[in-house]
Each structure stands twice: as structure tokens, then as C-alpha cells.
Amino acid sequence: TESRISSKNPINIYPNPTTGRIIINGINNIKMARITDVFGRSQFIKLTNNEIELSNQISGFYFVEIQDGSNNKYFCKVMKL
């Protein structure tokens, strides 16, 4: 299957900045979620009910990649306090 990067970003991630859990709104069928730090290292995450727990991550900026069931990819940035 082909992946497409969408120029329109329908997702909303909040709270941002966060001290722990972030909630992903705007996509109902999340196929994959990935978090990377500013050095490009993937971080272990658990996606549950459109929520990602970041409380175990150190403070800093993280990049969030979301792929939906239609293989569209969306990207955003989140700050962990």
C-alpha cells in the first residue's frame, strides 16, 4: 500500500505543552503513531484510545507522526515539560 503525506493537517494534539498524556483529535482510525526526539531517535510509546503517554519521557520537543487507515501521514510537534 502507498503512503501519502497530507498537506492538510486535520489533527489536533493537546495539551501542548504537556507533562504527561497527549490526546489526538481529528483522526478516528489511527493505524500507527510514532514519536521521535529532536535527534531522530524513536521513543517507545503506547497508543490507547487516541492517547499517548509521555510522562516517562524527558523534557523537550518531540515529533509526532500519525498514520490513518487510508495510509495518510500527519506530522506535528509536541513539547514535554
Side-chain angles (χ1 to χ4, degrees):
T1 54
E2 178 183 335
S3 291
R4 294 178 299 277
I5 297 175
S6 177
S7 60
K8 295 181 180 180
N9 196 349
I11 64 173
N12 179 30
I13 292 183
Y14 66 91
N16 190 8
T18 185
T19 57
R21 180 175 299 137
I22 57 173
I23 300 167
I24 303 165
N25 263 349
I27 298 177
N28 293 325
N29 185 16
I30 296 177
K31 180 178 176 181
M32 182 275 303
R34 181 180 315 166
I35 303 286
T36 55
D37 64 17
V38 293
F39 300 107
R41 297 178 296 216
S42 292
Q43 305 297 307
F44 176 77
I45 59 161
K46 183 176 180 182
L47 176 68
T48 307
N49 298 324
N50 287 17
E51 297 181 2
I52 297 173
E53 184 61 52
L54 294 177
S55 60
N56 293 330
Q57 304 300 325
I58 62 171
S59 297
F61 285 99
Y62 292 89
F63 300 98
V64 181
E65 176 186 350
I66 305 291
Q67 185 173 356
D68 66 17
S70 299
N71 291 325
N72 295 308
K73 290 185 179 180
Y74 307 95
F75 299 88
C76 58
K77 182 172 59 174
V78 66
M79 181 176 164
K80 164 68 169 57
L81 299 176

